Amino acid sequence: MAAYGAALALTPYLLIKVSWVIGALLGLVPLSSEFDMAGWVVLNVATIGMAATGIVTALALVRPWGMRTPGAAVAFCTWVGTGFLVPLLPFMILGSLLGPEGGGEAGGGEEQSGGGGDDGAAMPVWEGWLIEFGFVGMGLCLALALPVYLRRRWPDAFAGRVGEREGGTPSGPPWVVFVGAALGAVWLYWAVGGTAGVAQPAARYTNWHLLTGTAGVCALASAAAVWALTRARPAGLPRWIPMALGWLGSGSLFAWSGWKLPYTLVLAAVRPDDVTLPENLGVAAALHIAAVVAGAAMLRALVRPLRQGALAVP
């Protein structure tokens, strides 16, 4: 049921995005001042593809054909999907409690509206609620459905305790642990108010602090998880704990920085007067590149000991 709920929760988002593209092409939806027609269509077509992939992936977790789908495809899509959405849950809860001010959305400006911006064409409130419902619902339902699917398809992947398979021999690239820890330290430093590497301190708002802090926690959690599994310490710790933390944390690094990197590079190239990011664009781009590479390497380190065993399924 959770997998069906995930697909259902994201369907309104998909339909809203389709309506934005069609409306813009027909001249019925005013564009945000940040985008021209081509940019608006490309951005929303990309998110339509992401939403459709998320819905199909959710159904794959519960339908019989999902067990016949190549394991690598399901694993990658769920890794990216949970990396995107599960870290949004604490962000949205804290954001609703704190009442975040000042503009800026989780997607780095993408969800402003079907025409929202300085021209006053704001997204209807009901659309905003449906979009948030889609993100929260998909994240919660994926968090429930994915472990069930993994247990059915790869029952031994998360079983046992740390050190039983590694044999106490360190393995894996240790550099990803240092990169993940460094990324987490920088993002948490920014989240609590640090200004080194921040070009526009006045542009920071509550959502930015919350998202940056969440990213920092995910980076540190994934670094700790990879360290525990590759160094076989602490011995005796249930294996599913670092595997789950590593899965979510590395997925968050890869997915969010992979999404933000092109946006940051475009801003660095175009330098629009009406769009600013708090952080120095060069520093931000370097951090996102490091996060994408480290996230992918962390996933490789997590599954390496299992390739000949529990995950060796086509």
Side-chain angles (χ1 to χ4, degrees):
M1 292 300 294
Y4 288 119
L8 182 62
L10 203 58
T11 299
Y13 176 85
L14 174 65
L15 296 178
I16 288 171
K17 287 301 188 135
V18 171
S19 73
W20 286 4
V21 172
I22 295 175
L25 291 175
L26 296 179
L28 302 176
V29 175
L31 301 181
S32 167
S33 59
E34 299 178 18
F35 299 96
D36 58 16
M37 176 64 74
W40 179 252
V41 170
V42 168
L43 179 63
N44 283 284
V45 167
T47 55
I48 287 171
M50 292 168 64
T53 301
I55 291 171
V56 172
T57 300
L59 294 176
L61 300 181
V62 68
R63 300 301 300 163
W65 53 265
M67 297 295 288
R68 300 189 298 271
T69 303
V74 177
F76 179 78
C77 290
T78 54
W79 177 62
V80 172
T82 52
F84 259 127
L85 297 174
V86 173
L88 275 182
L89 301 179
F91 158 74
M92 288 188 169
I93 293 172
L94 291 172
S96 64
L97 293 176
L98 296 176
E101 76 275 356
E105 297 285 345
E110 178 265 324
E111 300 300 353
Q112 286 199 352
S113 73
D118 297 336
D119 56 6
M123 174 172 57
V125 174
W126 64 269
E127 283 190 353
W129 279 109
L130 280 178
I131 287 172
E132 290 199 9
F133 169 79
F135 288 157
V136 173
M138 182 73 169
L140 282 173
C141 291
L142 269 183
L144 295 174
L146 183 58
V148 177
Y149 177 87
L150 293 176
R151 185 175 180 83
R152 284 166 48 215
R153 184 153 191 178
W154 300 297
D156 297 328
F158 297 85
R161 297 184 178 274
V162 170
E164 290 179 350
R165 300 179 191 177
E166 296 83 359
T169 301
S171 62
W175 63 269
V176 300
V177 175
F178 295 109
V179 172
L183 290 168
V186 171
W187 285 332
L188 286 179
Y189 165 74
W190 283 351
V192 298
T195 57
V198 176
Q200 303 288 339
R204 295 182 293 185
Y205 44 85
T206 303
N207 277 0
W208 183 87
H209 285 282
L210 291 175
L211 280 172
T212 304
T214 301
V217 171
C218 288
L220 291 177
S222 59
V226 172
W227 181 87
L229 290 169
T230 58
R231 299 294 166 178
R233 287 186 252 167
L237 178 71
R239 186 181 187 83
W240 68 267
I241 295 177
M243 283 292 291
L245 291 176
W247 177 279
L248 291 175
S250 62
S252 176
L253 287 176
F254 183 88
W256 277 101
S257 284
W259 174 250
K260 290 181 178 180
L261 178 60
Y263 184 76
T264 302
L265 293 176
V266 168
L267 291 184
V270 178
R271 299 280 180 175
D273 295 331
D274 55 346
V275 182
T276 59
L277 289 181
E279 54 267 52
N280 177 282
L281 295 179
V283 172
L287 293 177
H288 291 321
I289 291 172
V292 169
V293 173
M298 285 178 177
L299 179 65
R300 185 169 180 268
L302 291 173
V303 304
R304 178 186 299 157
L306 305 174
R307 284 177 179 169
Q308 302 303 319
L311 293 186
V313 179

